[in-house]
Amino acid sequence: MTNKQLLLQLQKEQDLPDSQLKQLLETFSSEDLKYASLLAREVKIEHYSNKIYLRGIVEFSNICKNNCYYCGLRRDNKNIARYQLNSEQIVSCCKNGYKLGLRTFVLQGGENYIYDQGKLTSIIKEIKKEMPDCAVTLGVGEKSRELYQQWFDSGADRYLLRHETINPVHYSKLHPSDQVLENRVRCLNDLKDIGYQTGAGMMVGSPYQTFDNLVEDLRFLKEFNPEMVGLGPFIPHSQTPFANEATGSYQLSLLLLAIVRMMLVKVLLPATTALETVNPEGRKLGLLSGCNVIMPNISPMKNRKSYKLYNGMAEIDDNAEEKIRQIKTMVESIGDRIVIDRGDYKRMKI
Ligand code: 5AD
Ligand code: SF4
């Protein structure tokens, strides 16, 4: 079958055999990518019409006990100023975001214990008390089931934890031996079981990644059926062991976004910052490939340069208000519209 026929079948069946997924990833042309984007956008429009949801990201601490080989926040990077925002600063970022029309706040930070003993719990409660019509998303890594449950009971709605790669051998090439895939998957299962809208996902073009790995990732996503998928190109960071590795392809990232939209039709799919970092048009191309979420940074300007996961990370220079204005213009230029809404996962057609 030609790639176009495969894409059409994928749109119709919401799945393809692994060998055909691999064929698409390995052999797609720019015409195939255009066609994949078109089909994925049809699916997005069918399930979410022309709505785009915004999430305000608060990067509340860059302190991390982990040492992922790809990430600029890894503990062995001695070249960044480590910081942690206090409760008032975090809540104040969210309140500013609220005034700008945001109704989901993503509290994102490196993995550390500082906020585990009740601090994050009280921050979640405070945000939900002050802004009851908002959703709170957490992205703070691997924790115990009990802690996930405590945060959920305090009002957290969603949790982002990319699996990064579902192949254990590949996982061990991206992380030191004290970080294991098994625990990552345990966390994802706990989160979903507790009732979080859960986000998984992977980097595209991470070192040692093969097309077979990406097919395994797609198969995992199809089976795990997360409510959200975070997916963007790998970008090297100069202060990491992967400093000299190549940047992941944005075309392959776009194709994968389109495939994810067709396999998980209702998924909340952000056009990621990494995509915009490798291509200034990246977010727009993401929306044209089936994405329906954009996550502007609402962290204090002075901390942003210390939260660089990779080189050239976009959004360091734009304040939230200006960025949201730019996003709105871009979104409207392709016929979509930003809605002031929590933007929950839709189990039913809307
Ligand atoms: N390039 C692209 N994405 C990265 N992330 C971390 N480091 C990089 C990098 N160098 C992604 C990981 C992580 C998320 C917070 O950011 O997928 O889960
Ligand atoms: Fe820490 Fe997350 Fe970066 Fe890994 S990816 S080093 S856990 S901040």
Side-chain angles (χ1 to χ4, degrees):
M1 279 209 275
T2 67
N3 287 344
K4 288 217 166 75
Q5 288 168 327
L6 291 181
L7 288 163
L8 207 54
Q9 185 181 332
L10 172 59
Q11 192 202 39
K12 197 159 138 252
E13 311 280 339
Q14 304 179 10
D15 205 353
L16 277 182
D18 288 357
S19 60
Q20 299 187 324
L21 287 172
K22 187 174 175 190
Q23 176 187 324
L24 276 177
L25 299 181
E26 258 181 336
T27 68
F28 75 100
S29 66
S30 57
E31 285 304 306
D32 296 332
L33 174 57
K34 270 194 200 144
Y35 191 57
S37 300
L38 193 101
L39 295 179
R41 192 161 157 81
E42 281 178 10
V43 175
K44 180 256 164 185
I45 299 281
E46 182 189 343
H47 293 277
Y48 285 97
S49 71
N50 65 349
K51 293 178 183 177
I52 301 295
Y53 303 115
L54 296 183
R55 301 13 179 136
I57 302 190
V58 184
E59 297 162 340
F60 67 86
S61 171
N62 65 355
I63 299 170
C64 189
K65 68 171 180 64
N66 287 345
N67 229 351
C68 308
Y69 299 146
Y70 44 85
C71 174
L73 304 191
R74 65 198 306 272
R75 71 164 182 267
D76 282 356
N77 181 6
K78 308 291 181 210
N79 267 318
I80 51 170
R82 302 285 172 171
Y83 71 89
Q84 59 190 90
L85 301 186
N86 63 33
S87 310
E88 291 71 41
Q89 290 171 307
I90 297 172
V91 176
S92 142
C93 287
C94 299
K95 283 185 178 166
N96 288 337
Y98 190 93
K99 290 191 203 125
L100 301 174
L102 304 177
R103 295 296 178 269
T104 290
F105 302 108
V106 183
L107 308 185
Q108 192 153 287
E111 251 187 58
N112 65 53
Y113 304 110
I114 306 163
Y115 297 82
D116 288 359
Q117 304 303 325
K119 200 164 168 190
L120 197 50
T121 305
S122 65
I123 294 168
I124 297 163
K125 283 184 182 159
E126 174 80 6
I127 295 172
K128 299 291 281 204
K129 188 175 103 225
E130 296 282 325
M131 296 166 284
D133 54 336
C134 290
V136 170
T137 305
L138 303 178
V140 292
E142 298 177 18
K143 304 286 176 181
S144 68
R145 180 171 180 128
E146 290 66 36
L147 202 46
Y148 286 151
Q149 184 71 55
Q150 186 183 318
W151 289 334
F152 186 76
D153 295 341
S154 313
D157 302 273
R158 311 190 190 120
Y159 205 103
L160 302 175
L161 184 67
R162 292 187 181 183
H163 66 282
E164 313 296 357
T165 172
I166 205 63
N167 181 293
V169 176
H170 185 216
Y171 197 92
S172 71
K173 293 180 179 170
L174 301 180
H175 304 95
S177 57
D178 61 336
Q179 293 175 245
V180 292
L181 178 62
E182 207 185 342
N183 196 48
R184 185 67 57 118
V185 173
R186 188 274 302 160
C187 289
L188 284 166
N189 286 323
D190 281 346
L191 290 163
K192 205 158 206 258
D193 201 41
I194 288 169
Y196 282 97
Q197 295 172 47
T198 305
M202 63 277 192
M203 291 176 287
V204 177
S206 60
Y208 311 105
Q209 186 179 59
T210 63
F211 287 113
D212 283 313
N213 292 152
L214 283 171
V215 172
E216 292 173 280
D217 288 325
L218 289 172
R219 187 56 52 212
F220 167 72
L221 290 175
K222 181 74 184 173
E223 280 162 17
F224 183 68
N225 196 23
E227 285 80 10
M228 304 170 285
V229 169
L231 190 155
F234 161 78
I235 304 167
H237 184 290
S238 54
Q239 306 291 324
T240 65
F242 291 160
N244 298 318
E245 300 288 338
T247 298
S249 151
Y250 79 86
Q251 290 95 335
L252 182 56
S253 304
L254 291 171
L255 178 68
L256 281 157
L257 288 167
I259 292 175
V260 167
R261 167 59 65 206
M262 291 191 269
M263 289 178 85
L264 306 173
V265 295
K266 290 183 163 57
V267 75
L268 293 160
L269 192 60
T272 48
T273 308
L275 206 54
E276 179 173 275
T277 303
V278 295
N279 182 333
E281 297 265 270
R283 279 201 161 134
K284 179 165 154 184
L285 296 169
L287 297 188
L288 291 170
S289 300
C291 292
N292 63 339
V293 171
I294 297 186
M295 303 169 67
N297 192 340
I298 58 169
S299 310
M301 294 302 293
K302 70 174 191 333
N303 299 114
R304 297 208 191 166
K305 62 179 184 317
S306 307
Y307 204 97
K308 281 177 75 175
L309 305 177
Y310 41 78
N311 293 339
M313 193 166 167
E315 287 209 64
I316 302 251
D317 302 323
D318 298 313
N319 71 52
E321 192 170 2
E322 173 57 24
K323 187 74 195 179
I324 292 171
R325 221 191 329 269
Q326 288 169 15
I327 291 170
K328 192 158 182 275
T329 307
M330 180 276 284
V331 164
E332 286 169 3
S333 78
I334 61 166
D336 278 351
R337 71 194 160 97
I338 286 172
V339 287
I340 298 184
D341 189 306
R342 281 170 49 123
D344 286 294
Y345 184 77
K346 306 284 183 217
R347 288 179 203 283
M348 308 293 285
K349 208 175 250 191
I350 49 165

